[in-house]
Structures are given as C-alpha cells and as structure tokens.
Amino acid sequence: MSRGSRTLIVMYVAVALWLSFCTVRTWGTVPLWTTLAMAVASLAPVTGVVRETVIADERRAVAVLREREGRRAAWRDAAAAALAQAEVEAACCERWWTSCATEHDLGCAHRTSWGTTA
C-alpha cells in the first residue's frame, strides 16, 4: 500500500470517528432526521477505506502479473535465441547456406544431387 493510500485511510478513519462522535453528542438535542443524516454520513468514509484497500490489492496483483509476464517474455526470448542457434548449427555447410540450399560443399555429409527432392 502506498504512502498516499495510508494517509487517505487515516483521514477517512478520523472523519468517520469525528462524525460518529458528533452523532452521539447530538442525539436527542436536534431533530431525529438530522441525527440519522449524520449517522449515515459517518458511514461514508468507510467506503473510502474499502476503496483504498481494493486499489492496493489490485496494484499488488498487477505487479505480480507484470513480473510473471516479464519472466515469460525472457523465457520466450531465450527459446527463440536457442531455436535460431539450432537452425544456424543445423546448416550443413556455408555454400548450402549462401546458395539457398541448391549447392553443397564437396566434403559435406548431407550432399545430395541438385535435382533430387530428398
């Protein structure tokens, strides 16, 4: 939870306690509807506290997902690099590689005739 969220929660709790105190102090000295309105108003900051905790949980969840995605991206990059390295190492000879697989070096073990499909 961030410092700003904690500050807001402290302020919400302080306002809720102050409004609750005022509600108790005015009970019976002012019209009933006024006291009930003050009691309902003292519950409003509770919504703010819940909101701040939900936002903190969501931020925590997003941070975890970003970390996981970062690890997956690094794994995919490593896998792509390994695949590319394997493809380069699988090339049997330089002439085959540069001639778009139409010719082989004389000493190449994979040498086949130019016209075959094998």
Side-chain angles (χ1 to χ4, degrees):
M1 188 176 294
S2 69
R3 186 177 295 168
S5 293
R6 287 187 186 117
T7 304
L8 281 174
I9 287 176
V10 168
M11 289 172 50
Y12 287 141
V13 169
V15 168
L17 290 174
W18 176 252
L19 288 172
S20 299
F21 173 75
C22 291
T23 301
V24 171
R25 295 285 293 170
T26 60
W27 191 267
T29 58
V30 295
L32 182 62
W33 69 270
T34 309
T35 305
L36 292 177
M38 186 84 69
V40 170
S42 68
L43 295 176
V46 173
T47 315
V49 170
V50 170
R51 178 182 173 272
E52 289 301 319
T53 55
V54 166
I55 288 173
D57 291 341
E58 288 176 356
R59 284 183 179 164
R60 211 172 298 118
V62 166
V64 167
L65 290 175
R66 282 185 180 167
E67 181 183 344
R68 284 183 191 163
E69 186 57 35
R71 279 189 260 139
R72 284 185 191 139
W75 180 83
R76 281 192 301 261
D77 290 345
L83 180 64
Q85 183 66 28
E87 290 292 327
V88 168
E89 289 173 357
C92 61
C93 61
E94 183 64 28
R95 185 176 294 162
W96 178 85
W97 186 255
T98 57
S99 66
C100 297
T102 59
E103 298 177 13
H104 288 271
D105 285 338
L106 295 176
C108 179
H110 297 97
R111 185 173 178 188
T112 57
S113 63
W114 189 77
T116 63
T117 57

